[in-house]
Structures are given as C-alpha cells and as structure tokens.
Amino acid sequence: MRPEYRVVFDREKLAAYGLNTATASLYVRNRINGLTASKYREDGDEYDIIVRYGEQFRTSLDAIENITLYNSTGQPVKLREVGTIIEEFAPPTIERENRQRIISVDVTLAGAAMTEVAGPIQELIAQMEVP
C-alpha cells in the first residue's frame, strides 16, 4: 500500500469564491504534478520544461492545504478553505503486457553515457533468476 492524498471539494464554498471543481482540480494538479510550460532544445534533443511547486510545498498534508488557488478576479483562496484533503492508502497497481505481469524500471543516468552502462546492465540481467 502506498499513501496518497485525495481532495474533496465543497461545491458551495467553491461557488462562493467564484470557482468550480474543474478549475480548482486543474490548479491543484498543476501545482503538484506540474505543467509543461515550454520545451528546451539543445543539439537536436528536446526536453520539457515543467513548472510545479517545490517538493517541500507539495508533499505534506499541511503544505497541500496551503496551496493557493485564484478565481477569475485574481482573488487568492487557500485549498483548505474550499476543500478537505484525505490521506488514503492505495493498493499497488499490477501492470500487464500480453496478459503477463511486468515491472518497469526507470533510470536516470548521471555522469555516464548509455553505451557505457548498457553492457554491464545486460550482463547483470542475464545472471538473474526470473520466475
């Protein structure tokens, strides 16, 4: 089980501040998950520029309650004023491909080229006993 936060909006309070659930949800999602603001291109490679709150402002219940939303007139509203954040534990998801369970491993290389590490990684995988 992994912890996650769920936001339950009070529609009456949202309406009183001139917001709706779609707009408020979008604000919260963008501040936590990020919004692709632009692309950075260098030497033929393209990278997304993602804008979001810093980790310390999006990982705790108190920090999420303090996320600021803005209505159409620019009035700031704290998330805790229009919604309740509930901490839940979600079961892990099982990923499948061709009806077989799979596990994805994501790696970010720091200071090494893919060609330098691919060979040793393949050797390690070959030595593993996979059920």
Side-chain angles (χ1 to χ4, degrees):
M1 300 286 228
R2 60 183 169 82
E4 67 181 21
Y5 296 117
R6 182 168 55 99
V7 179
V8 179
F9 289 107
D10 182 321
R11 291 175 190 261
E12 290 179 13
K13 289 180 182 177
L14 282 173
Y17 283 104
L19 292 164
N20 59 45
T21 55
T23 303
S25 297
L26 184 64
Y27 278 131
V28 173
R29 185 179 307 112
N30 289 345
R31 282 157 174 73
I32 293 175
N33 295 337
L35 173 69
T36 302
S38 186
K39 303 271 187 196
Y40 173 73
R41 292 172 184 87
E42 180 180 0
D43 298 328
D45 292 325
E46 186 174 272
Y47 307 93
D48 289 336
I49 298 174
I50 298 174
V51 178
R52 66 181 174 188
Y53 275 8
E55 190 169 347
Q56 70 271 23
F57 301 110
R58 59 184 166 86
T59 54
S60 72
L61 183 63
D62 187 50
I64 293 171
E65 287 178 332
N66 283 312
I67 288 177
T68 303
L69 314 174
Y70 293 93
N71 66 13
S72 60
T73 62
Q75 178 186 10
V77 180
K78 295 292 185 186
L79 180 57
R80 71 173 166 270
E81 295 175 30
V82 293
T84 305
I85 294 93
I86 301 168
E87 185 176 12
E88 299 179 326
F89 291 91
T93 59
I94 297 174
E95 296 181 44
R96 297 181 186 277
E97 185 174 298
N98 296 327
R99 294 190 282 177
Q100 296 289 319
R101 289 184 181 190
I102 62 168
I103 296 175
S104 300
V105 179
D106 297 319
V107 177
T108 302
L109 299 176
M114 178 63 94
T115 55
E116 295 173 11
V117 297
I121 290 174
Q122 290 297 336
E123 289 174 14
L124 288 171
I125 291 173
Q127 295 173 9
M128 297 175 87
E129 291 185 35
V130 181

